[in-house]
Amino acid sequence: MQTIILVILAIIIIGLIIYNFNIQSKIKRFQNTDQRIKNLAIVQDFMNTIGEDTSVDYKIKKINELIIEKYQIQYSTIVVFDGTEYVVKASNVDERHWDTLKSLQDDENFKDSITTASPQYVSVNSDDEKLSYQKSEMGRAKSAIFFPLYFDNVYVGYWIIESGKPHNFDNIDSTILEVVKDNIVSVLKTVNHQNILESIVRTDEFSGLKSEEYLYGEGKKIIDQYTKSTICMFKIINLKEINENYSRELGNKVITEVSKYIKENISDNYIFIRYMGPKFVIAFSGAEISGVAEFLNDRKETIENMSIALSEDGENEGVCPELNFVVSYYYKGTGIEEVLKKLEKYLDNADPDESEINNI
C-alpha cells in the first residue's frame, strides 16, 4: 500500500513539475511577446521622429530621450565622428563631462570593442572606485556598456549607457540593447542625407541668397506648412550676353540688383533662392498661381525698366535685365525637385527671345 501511495505521490510531483515547467515557458513566451511589442512601439516612435520636419541634431536628441524614457536607462550618450572630430550628438549627462565622453575611443577598455564591432561592459565593484575613463566624476557612473556604431562596416561613432550603481547591467537583456543599437544606426543612416543637405547650404556671393540645397531642407519645412504652393523659376535671359559684351563684373551687378529688388518686395513667408547660374526660384508658400502671376507681372516690368551700370555717375553704359518666368503648383508630400526639373527644362528650351510669364 505504501508503495502505491509513493508511486501516486511521485506521479503527482512529476505532473506538478511538468505543469510548472509549462507555466514558466508560457510566461517566458508572454514576456518575449510583450517585449517584442514594446520594441515595435519604440521603433515606431523612432520612425515618427525621423519623419518630423526638424533638424538632424534635434532628431538624434529626441531618439536619445526615447531610449532613456522607454528603457529606464539612467545615462545615455550618442557620439558621432563627423570626419574631423568626435561630437556628442545627444546626452543627458552634464556638459562638463562631455570632453571625457567624446574621448572614449582612446580608452584601452574600448579599443578592442571598436576593432571587433562588439559591445563592452565595464563596472566597478564598490562605490569608492571609478571607471577607467572617468576623471573628475567619481560619483556619477559605476557601470557602463559601450556600443560601437557602424554604417556598412565603417565605424562612425559609439553609443554608451551608464548607471550610478556597480554591476547594474549584469542581468540586462543584451539582445534588447542590440536592437536599440541597430535602431540608432538606422536613424543615423536615415538622417544622414538630411544632414548632408543642411551642411552644404551656401549663401551666394552676389545675390546674397541661399543655394538650391536650402530649398530641399529648411525651405521645404516652411513650404510644407501648406497643402499647395506656387513655385516660380525665372531666368535672366540676357545675363550671358551682358557678361560677354560688357563684363562679368557688370553681369554680377545685374544679379545683385535684381536679387535685391525682389528680396525687398516679397513676403518673409516666401522662399527666394539662387538656383543655378542665371536661374532663380521663388516658392510662394500657400499662394495661388493667379495671384502670383499678377505680382510677377508688376515686378517684371519694374526690373526690365532698370538701367544697371557699374558706376552711378553715368560714366558706364547701363544695361536692362530681361527676364523669363515660369510657374507651376507644388503639392505637399510630392517631390519638389521634380517640379524644379520641369520648370528648368522649360526655361532651357524656351525661345531665346521669349520674355513673359508662363504657367505649366
Side-chain angles (χ1 to χ4, degrees), residues 24-239:
Q24 291 297 322
S25 297
K26 288 179 180 179
I27 291 172
K28 189 173 182 180
R29 284 199 300 272
F30 175 78
Q31 289 173 335
N32 289 339
T33 301
D34 183 60
Q35 187 60 57
R36 282 197 293 269
I37 293 171
K38 180 180 178 181
N39 285 337
L40 285 172
I42 295 172
V43 170
Q44 184 60 54
D45 288 338
F46 284 6
M47 294 303 102
N48 291 341
T49 300
I50 292 172
E52 292 179 0
D53 283 335
T54 53
S55 69
V56 169
D57 286 344
Y58 176 84
K59 289 178 182 179
I60 297 174
K61 287 174 183 175
K62 187 167 180 180
I63 292 297
N64 198 53
E65 290 169 3
L66 285 170
I67 292 169
I68 293 164
E69 176 191 348
K70 303 295 184 180
Y71 292 104
Q72 300 296 299
I73 291 172
Q74 189 172 0
Y75 301 112
S76 176
T77 301
I78 299 171
V79 178
V80 175
F81 184 66
D82 69 0
T84 58
E85 62 179 348
Y86 285 86
V87 179
V88 175
K89 285 293 186 180
S91 180
N92 64 329
V93 176
D94 193 295
E95 284 193 40
R96 62 198 170 124
H97 302 308
W98 283 14
D99 283 342
T100 298
L101 288 171
K102 65 182 182 180
S103 303
L104 300 184
Q105 71 282 350
D106 298 324
D107 188 272
E108 291 298 327
N109 281 310
F110 304 132
K111 286 183 177 180
D112 284 344
S113 176
I114 294 171
T115 302
T116 60
S118 57
Q120 178 65 46
Y121 178 31
V122 292
S123 178
V124 296
N125 294 314
S126 61
D127 287 333
D128 59 355
E129 297 179 81
K130 68 176 183 178
L131 296 169
S132 63
Y133 61 85
Q134 292 179 313
K135 295 175 183 177
S136 59
E137 43 180 337
M138 282 285 291
R140 188 179 67 81
K142 298 300 179 182
S143 54
I145 307 180
F146 176 94
F147 297 88
L149 304 176
Y150 279 79
F151 284 1
D152 302 323
N153 297 320
V154 177
Y155 170 66
V156 295
Y158 50 85
W159 170 47
I160 183 169
I161 58 173
E162 301 170 290
S163 170
K165 298 178 182 179
H167 296 282
N168 196 47
F169 299 119
D170 285 4
N171 299 314
I172 197 166
D173 188 342
S174 60
T175 57
I176 293 175
L177 294 179
E178 282 291 331
V179 169
V180 177
K181 183 206 72 175
D182 291 341
N183 287 331
I184 292 172
V185 171
S186 296
V187 169
L188 292 175
K189 288 178 74 172
T190 303
V191 299
N192 188 48
H193 178 63
Q194 180 186 344
N195 189 45
I196 291 171
L197 284 179
E198 290 178 0
S199 64
I200 64 176
V201 172
R202 298 289 182 267
T203 300
D204 178 60
E205 178 182 356
F206 302 108
S207 66
L209 303 175
K210 299 290 186 184
S211 60
E212 173 190 356
E213 291 78 17
Y214 178 80
L215 194 59
Y216 302 134
E218 291 299 313
K220 193 170 185 295
K221 296 173 190 174
I222 298 172
I223 302 167
D224 279 352
Q225 292 176 19
Y226 304 86
T227 303
K228 183 172 70 171
S229 299
T230 296
I231 306 296
C232 163
M233 183 180 289
F234 72 87
K235 180 179 181 181
I236 305 175
I237 56 179
N238 62 336
L239 183 61

